[in-house]
Amino acid sequence: MARDPLIGIVGKPSAGKSTTLNALTDASAKTGAFPFTTIDPNQATGYLQVACACGRIEGGKYKKLCKPNYGSCNHETGQRSVPIMLLDVAGLVPGAHEGRGLGNKFLDDLRHADALIHVVDVSGTTDAEGKATRGYDPLRDVEWLQDEIFRWVEGNLKGRWGSIVRRHTATKSTIVATLQNQFSGYGSTTDLVNRALDEAVPKLKERALENWDADDLATVVRAFTHQKFPTVLSLNKMDHPDADKNVSKIIKHYPNEKIVLTSAISEVFIRKLVKQKYVRYEEGTEFLDTFEDFEHEGTETDCGLKPLDERLKARVENVRDLVLYRFGSTGVVQVLQAAADILGLVPIYPVKNIHNFGAPEAVFRDCMLVKRGTTVAQVAKRVMGDIPIMYIEGLGGLKVAEDDTVDAGKNDVLSFKTGPRAK
Ligand SMILES: Nc1nc2c(ncn2[C@@H]2O[C@H](COP(=O)(O)OP(=O)(O)OP(=O)(O)O)[C@@H](O)[C@H]2O)c(=O)[nH]1
Ligand SMILES: [Mg+2]
């Protein structure tokens, strides 16, 4: 991943994809209770919550000075919001890979996504096409959506398989090189293709590509899509009375999937109230304070909140009872964290000066999200481009080897020292 990560939001029509995007960002993507509200993809910046380096270095001395260029850092907690790009696409329906619904275009929009949030409507009030119904079983949606993505990639490859094999033979390429050539349009890497082949059947690597049959190809494509699009299930509309039984069923059926329960609409509602100064809210938690809560404590004069009218009061109570107190949060902050987790993203802090981290003006100004296991040299390339680097310093001013890797808390604060251009 030589560029910033991109998280795709996928699901059938009316599952709540655009609502999820709006809940995670300041976007105002159009939402609606009818299929295909979204046609063109909406891209917006979300914020991933991480524990900032400022909180742990030199006993938190830099916490109060931390000054992110993008996003923000809480000077009390050292919790940092790091920007991350999100893409909300049109709904997918069964048969999309053959052009049903809005067809392939939207699968194409997903090409550059590094991970997916699959929004599943667990209220059972929308069918596979997103049309209003009751008692629909959303268990099916998990499977067919993954299948659509697989069939889309498979279809793209199958159509050209004859010429791919001819070229492979003529150029005496390796299997990995030929597949990487085909998958590069999805932002694949040789490493990813290798992992996919290892996951599929390592034996296929030894068997000549000319002898692969349709099943072999399908196995590899399945493994590739699995590696390329790690997916978090966002079981959305958990505020609905029918959600519980559907949630249990999905969790039982998919014990190994990464699953988060969400109520995107509640998060959007709360954020609106925060903007209008009706409530104070700690994102990602159940803590939501209204004017009335402060009134009880006798501090109503300085809480800075407006009193709620009866209608809003009832809606806030509803959100508390059905979502916040039952599940501990609306789940949307957690769903983004889960997506970053399956991708193995860690925050890396490039600094100009490894001893003062940019003080006084630019303390931990920059933070980027990279995959755990990325080498220090690859990080340097992303930060510095082609500028030649003389050496790289880590915490304490110690030199760091270029082939060393990064992780949370390991080689995550780095200073790149540039030198004269090589002759
Ligand atoms: N009860 C409930 N309704 C929700 C929730 N999230 C979204 N909705 C409603 O579900 C409907 C569809 O939401 P959208 O966000 O437009 O869905 P979408 O997946 O983007 O749909 P398309 O763009 O048509 O594919 C809207 O009426 C939303 O208000 C939720 O958490 N709970
Ligand atoms: Mg939409």
Side-chain angles (χ1 to χ4, degrees):
M1 210 167 22
R3 49 172 177 80
D4 290 333
L6 177 69
I7 313 280
I9 303 178
V10 299
K12 70 182 183 185
S14 293
K17 298 178 295 299
S18 300
T19 310
T20 300
L21 182 86
N22 292 345
L24 283 166
T25 68
D26 281 332
S28 47
K30 197 169 153 206
T31 62
F34 43 86
F36 303 119
T37 306
T38 305
I39 293 181
D40 291 320
N42 301 299
Q43 189 159 341
T45 307
Y47 292 91
L48 183 70
Q49 304 296 322
V50 304
C52 184
C54 69
R56 67 165 208 263
I57 284 162
E58 294 179 39
K61 183 174 133 188
Y62 291 94
K63 219 155 60 171
K64 294 227 159 6
L65 302 169
C66 194
K67 259 199 187 151
N69 205 11
Y70 298 103
S72 58
C73 191
N74 183 317
H75 284 179
E76 297 304 319
T77 60
Q79 187 87 350
R80 181 167 180 142
S81 302
V82 185
I84 182 164
M85 286 316 289
L86 303 171
L87 186 72
D88 156 44
V89 297
L92 293 174
V93 297
H97 73 280
E98 292 167 331
R100 285 203 63 228
L102 290 172
N104 275 332
K105 173 187 177 313
F106 307 102
L107 286 163
D108 279 342
D109 290 331
L110 285 178
R111 269 174 197 277
H112 295 291
D114 299 297
L116 303 178
I117 294 175
H118 177 187
V119 182
V120 181
D121 176 351
V122 288
S123 70
T125 58
T126 52
D127 68 12
E129 319 246 306
K131 293 197 200 88
T133 182
R134 284 205 76 95
Y136 176 83
D137 182 357
L139 187 66
R140 286 175 268 170
D141 295 339
V142 180
E143 184 132 1
W144 71 249
L145 192 119
Q146 284 171 355
D147 215 52
E148 280 306 321
I149 296 177
F150 153 69
R151 283 184 193 285
W152 159 59
V153 178
E154 187 194 42
N156 287 347
L157 208 58
K158 253 187 177 165
R160 295 193 309 262
W161 192 242
S163 58
I164 293 168
V165 173
R166 274 194 302 281
R167 186 177 182 280
H168 173 81
T169 316
T171 57
K172 296 194 175 63
S173 286
T174 63
I175 291 178
V176 173
T178 292
L179 289 178
Q180 167 54 14
N181 201 10
Q182 294 308 315
F183 291 146
S184 61
Y186 306 96
S188 171
T189 59
T190 306
D191 184 42
L192 205 144
V193 171
N194 260 316
R195 269 187 283 137
L197 276 169
D198 289 341
E199 180 191 310
V201 196
K203 265 190 305 198
L204 277 181
K205 267 192 193 170
E206 266 93 66
R207 192 137 109 236
L209 199 75
E210 293 83 340
N211 300 331
W212 284 19
D213 60 20
D215 284 347
D216 294 332
L217 192 59
T219 312
V220 169
V221 171
R222 225 174 249 289
F224 171 74
T225 46
H226 188 232
Q227 292 283 346
K228 176 65 208 349
F229 299 113
T231 303
V232 174
L233 298 181
S234 173
L235 305 189
N236 191 39
K237 308 195 188 178
M238 69 177 182
D239 50 272
H240 193 277
D242 289 347
D244 282 4
K245 65 173 195 303
N246 292 327
V247 166
S248 336
K249 218 165 151 183
I250 293 175
I251 292 178
K252 220 161 146 192
H253 204 264
Y254 293 101
N256 299 322
E257 296 285 325
K258 197 137 195 166
I259 292 177
V260 181
L261 273 59
T262 58
S263 174
I265 208 165
S266 303
E267 181 75 16
V268 168
F269 172 60
I270 297 172
R271 281 178 173 232
K272 209 154 87 193
L273 293 184
V274 170
K275 276 212 183 102
Q276 295 169 344
K277 298 210 163 27
Y278 280 119
V279 300
R280 203 172 289 168
Y281 176 51
E282 254 179 72
E283 264 175 49
T285 71
E286 62 185 297
F287 302 116
L288 177 75
D289 293 322
T290 64
F291 176 85
E292 283 73 17
D293 299 315
F294 288 96
E295 201 178 33
H296 290 306
E297 290 162 22
T299 57
E300 73 273 26
T301 45
D302 56 12
C303 76
L305 296 175
K306 296 192 280 190
L308 297 161
D309 63 27
E310 288 307 314
R311 195 182 53 93
L312 280 179
K313 213 184 277 179
R315 284 185 68 190
V316 166
E317 276 317 305
N318 236 343
V319 166
R320 278 175 166 159
D321 290 345
L322 295 178
V323 180
L324 297 177
Y325 296 161
R326 281 184 69 210
F327 301 101
S329 76
T330 66
V332 295
V333 166
Q334 287 77 2
V335 93
L336 191 53
Q337 268 163 348
D341 256 19
I342 42 164
L343 253 183
L345 294 181
V346 292
I348 304 294
Y349 306 85
V351 292
K352 266 221 171 94
N353 181 326
I354 200 74
H355 302 289
N356 68 11
F357 312 107
E361 278 309 310
V363 174
F364 293 116
R365 191 187 69 166
D366 298 312
C367 175
M368 61 202 282
L369 297 167
V370 308
K371 270 192 176 189
R372 141 178 323 122
T374 301
T375 64
V376 170
Q378 287 168 322
V379 175
K381 178 122 180 90
R382 246 179 83 186
V383 178
M384 308 297 286
D386 288 330
I387 299 173
I389 310 267
M390 276 213 303
Y391 60 95
I392 303 167
E393 288 176 334
L395 284 176
L398 299 174
K399 290 218 171 89
V400 182
E402 291 201 359
D403 59 355
D404 208 352
T405 55
V406 302
D407 204 335
K410 178 196 163 209
N411 294 333
D412 60 347
V413 181
L414 295 167
S415 184
F416 304 104
K417 300 297 172 193
T418 53
R421 217 166 260 283
K423 297 237 166 69

